[in-house]
Amino acid sequence: ELLTGYFEFLLKQEELKSVKIITPSKASERGCALSLDFGASAKSLMAKLSAEGVVCDYREPGVLRFAQMEYALYKIFQH
C-alpha cells in the first residue's frame, strides 16, 4: 500500500501529459498495482521497459499495470 501510494505520488509530481492513472487514488479502493493508460504507445513502451528489467503487464486498450514489490521477494517467488 505504501509503495503504491509513493509510486502514484511520484507520477503526479511529474505531471505527465501522455499518461493517465486509471487506478483509484484512495488506497482502500485499490490493490497493490497502478494501471496507467499510455494509449497507442503502451506496447512499445512495455518493450522498452522490459529491456531495462521493469516488470509490468499490458492490458487492452493501451494500459500498463505496475505492481510495486520488493525485488528480493519477487525473485523468491519467481522460481
Side-chain angles (χ1 to χ4, degrees):
E1 183 178 307
L2 291 176
L3 285 175
T4 304
Y6 185 60
F7 183 44
E8 180 182 26
F9 168 79
L10 292 174
L11 289 169
K12 287 181 176 180
Q13 296 303 304
E14 291 298 317
E15 297 180 10
L16 303 172
K17 293 179 181 15
S18 62
V19 63
K20 179 181 178 189
I21 301 171
I22 60 175
T23 305
S25 286
K26 198 171 184 181
S28 62
E29 296 176 1
R30 68 171 180 224
C32 67
L34 280 184
S35 294
L36 308 175
D37 186 347
F38 287 94
S41 65
K43 285 186 180 180
S44 63
L45 179 59
M46 183 174 170
K48 290 175 186 175
L49 290 171
S50 293
E52 296 296 325
V54 176
V55 178
C56 62
D57 61 278
Y58 177 80
R59 306 291 170 118
E60 290 289 347
V63 174
L64 296 182
R65 194 170 65 123
F66 299 86
Q68 295 66 54
M69 60 178 60
E70 299 268 348
Y71 181 75
L73 182 62
Y74 177 77
K75 294 302 274 184
I76 289 169
F77 286 106
Q78 200 174 21
H79 297 287

